[in-house]
Amino acid sequence: MPRLDERLKAVARSIRCDTHLDVGSDHGHLLFALLKSGRVSRGIAIENKQRPYLNSRTTLADVNADVRFGEGLAAANPGEADSLSICGMGGRSIVRILSEYPDRVPSQVILQPNQRIHLVRRWGYENGFTIAGETWVGTDRIFEILHFVRQTTGDGDFVDPAYEGFDLETAFHFGPTHLRQRAPEFLNRLQEERHYFGQFPHRQPETEHRLRMIAQILGLDNH
Ligand SMILES: C[S@@+](CC[C@H](N)C(=O)[O-])C[C@H]1O[C@@H](n2cnc3c(N)ncnc32)[C@H](O)[C@@H]1O
């Protein structure tokens, strides 16, 4: 039985439903563990590359899973899954997959972007979802996991109350839950990032922007 690493274990803890859909299943380990542990009773894996598709088929051959070769949610049907995960991709790719077929996105969505997490939070905010959970794992490399729950179909009027009182851009980057909780581990992480990037005399505008937001969160006048 494949063992999940800390990152996928953290993802799995947010999933419990009847049918779960995993886009970009690759090795198929997440669905396998979810099925074997009884957290889900049926799985759908979607892959758009031949080798990972075959790997998923091998891993999921003897469990209740449907492995499909296809491009994102083009290979899914509306209403067939209760929850969806997309893990280990950049935020831009994740948002593209979610936005291509909005009617195929179930009401529970668990996302683990490797970069550009702000695009993913913005997607949830603009599409009628609330953040039900934000967690992170790792030390040298941090992996963030977001759990979204649909509240409306995104008619533009609904606002996730988690963002109330925060500058939106800052909250998209750092997470409204983390900003509200201000846990010591979170604040330490920001201090470390500030220290790390502070060493470089020349920084990209994107990094400067991030450092300004970090300074604001930490209550420092300038960085
Ligand atoms: C870096 S791997 C992550 C695998 C696994 N989800 C994890 O977190 O360990 C990303 C996988 O997503 C697949 N992928 C990327 N874009 C996709 C798309 N649009 N539709 C289906 N699969 C996709 C890739 O082929 C690759 O196997």
Side-chain angles (χ1 to χ4, degrees), residues 5 7-8 11 22-30 46-53 68 70-73 85-89 93 96-97 100 112 114:
D5 57 20
R7 175 181 65 91
L8 287 180
V11 169
D22 188 37
V23 172
S25 54
D26 197 349
H27 35 71
H29 292 177
L30 176 65
I46 295 175
E47 251 304 331
N48 71 349
K49 289 177 200 73
Q50 191 66 16
R51 171 65 59 183
Y53 164 72
R68 300 176 189 168
E71 188 61 41
L73 293 172
S85 52
I86 310 177
C87 305
M89 294 188 208
S93 302
R96 184 173 37 76
I97 290 170
E100 274 170 353
Q112 183 268 303
N114 283 345

Side-chain angles (χ1 to χ4, degrees), residues 11-219:
V11 169
R13 280 195 285 272
S14 293
I15 301 168
R16 192 183 283 282
C17 67
D18 186 18
T19 301
H20 181 76
L21 165 62
D22 188 37
V23 172
S25 54
D26 197 349
H27 35 71
H29 292 177
L30 176 65
L31 272 184
F32 186 87
L34 288 169
L35 285 157
K36 278 289 181 189
S37 64
R39 293 188 82 87
V40 312
S41 47
R42 178 170 176 255
I44 303 167
I46 295 175
E47 251 304 331
N48 71 349
K49 289 177 200 73
Q50 191 66 16
R51 171 65 59 183
Y53 164 72
L54 293 175
N55 288 343
S56 289
R57 282 193 54 153
T58 304
T59 304
L60 298 167
D62 297 325
V63 288
N64 187 19
D66 187 1
V67 182
R68 300 176 189 168
F69 189 82
E71 188 61 41
L73 293 172
N77 301 306
E80 71 174 337
D82 306 295
S83 64
L84 161 71
S85 52
I86 310 177
C87 305
M89 294 188 208
R92 203 171 274 156
S93 302
I94 290 179
V95 168
R96 184 173 37 76
I97 290 170
L98 294 165
S99 306
E100 274 170 353
Y101 296 91
D103 60 326
R104 302 182 190 185
V105 177
S107 57
Q108 304 273 337
V109 182
I110 294 89
L111 304 171
Q112 183 268 303
N114 283 345
Q115 306 136 13
R116 296 198 164 83
I117 195 167
H118 57 287
L119 301 179
V120 175
R121 289 198 183 91
R122 181 186 287 280
W123 166 84
Y125 183 84
E126 291 177 348
N127 288 278
F129 285 80
T130 48
I131 293 189
E134 304 192 271
T135 51
W136 49 276
V137 292
T139 43
D140 288 346
R141 182 162 179 203
I142 303 287
F143 296 104
E144 302 206 55
I145 297 122
L146 303 177
H147 180 174
F148 292 96
V149 179
R150 179 183 283 114
Q151 304 298 333
T152 73
T153 46
D155 57 7
D157 285 342
F158 178 81
V159 174
D160 182 350
Y163 287 90
E164 243 172 60
F166 295 124
D167 168 63
L168 265 190
E169 195 58 23
T170 307
F172 288 151
H173 278 264
F174 297 96
T177 314
H178 301 313
L179 291 179
R180 205 168 298 284
Q181 290 173 346
R182 297 183 71 81
E185 304 78 30
F186 170 67
L187 298 176
N188 285 345
R189 239 180 73 195
L190 298 189
Q191 288 281 17
E192 277 168 21
E193 189 175 336
R194 186 170 166 270
H195 178 73
Y196 175 77
F197 284 113
Q199 302 174 87
F200 300 104
H202 304 295
R203 296 182 285 260
Q204 299 289 326
E206 210 175 309
T207 307
E208 285 296 329
H209 180 218
R210 209 171 150 84
L211 285 175
R212 274 195 299 278
M213 291 188 285
I214 290 177
Q216 237 178 9
I217 297 166
L218 296 175

